[in-house]
C-alpha cells in the first residue's frame, strides 16, 4: 500500500524571488490559514500594484514612440500629419 506524504512549507516566495517566512503561531489550522491568507493578500496587492505600474510605463513608452514617429515624418517630409489626423 503506497504511503503519501504531505509537506507544508512555512515559507513562500514573493514576486521578487525572496523567501518570506510565515510565522508559525503554534495555533490551530484555522489561525495558520488566516495568517497565510493575510500574507497572500499582501503579496497579491503588491503584484497588482507592480502590474499597474508596468502597464502605465508601457502606455507612456508607446505614446513617446508615436510622437517620435510623427516628428521623424515631419522632419523628413515637411508634412504635418497631426493636422490631417484631427
Amino acid at each position: 500500500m503506497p504511503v503519501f506524504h504531505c509537506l507544508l512549507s512555512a515559507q513562500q516566495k514573493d514576486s521578487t524571488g525572496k523567501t518570506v517566512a510565515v510565522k508559525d503561531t503554534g495555533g490551530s489550522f484555522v489561525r495558520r490559514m488566516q495568517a497565510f491568507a493575510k500574507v497572500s493578500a499582501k503579496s497579491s496587492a503588491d503584484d497588482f500594484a507592480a502590474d499597474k505600474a508596468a502597464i502605465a510605463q508601457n502606455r507612456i513608452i508607446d505614446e513617446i514612440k508615436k510622437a517620435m514617429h510623427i516628428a521623424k515624418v515631419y522632419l523628413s517630409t515637411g508634412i504635418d500629419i497631426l493636422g490631417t489626423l484631427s
Side-chain angles (χ1 to χ4, degrees):
M1 180 169 219
V3 177
F4 296 97
H5 295 280
C6 181
L7 299 175
L8 295 177
S9 176
Q11 296 180 343
Q12 160 186 21
K13 291 220 177 216
D14 65 2
S15 63
T16 60
K18 296 180 184 175
T19 302
V20 177
V22 177
K23 184 177 180 182
D24 185 14
T25 59
S28 70
F29 177 76
V30 173
R31 274 191 256 146
R32 287 185 306 204
M33 288 297 107
Q34 286 174 339
F36 175 74
K38 286 180 184 178
V39 170
S40 296
K42 172 80 169 108
S43 175
S44 179
D46 292 343
D47 290 344
F48 178 75
D51 290 344
K52 191 174 176 181
I55 289 170
Q57 288 173 351
N58 288 338
R59 187 182 67 240
I60 290 169
I61 288 172
D62 287 341
E63 289 175 12
I64 291 171
K65 286 179 182 179
K66 287 179 188 176
M68 289 179 61
H69 175 71
I70 290 170
K72 185 177 178 181
V73 167
Y74 177 74
L75 290 174
S76 65
T77 62
I79 299 173
D80 183 14
I81 62 171
L82 278 179
T84 61
L85 294 178
S86 12

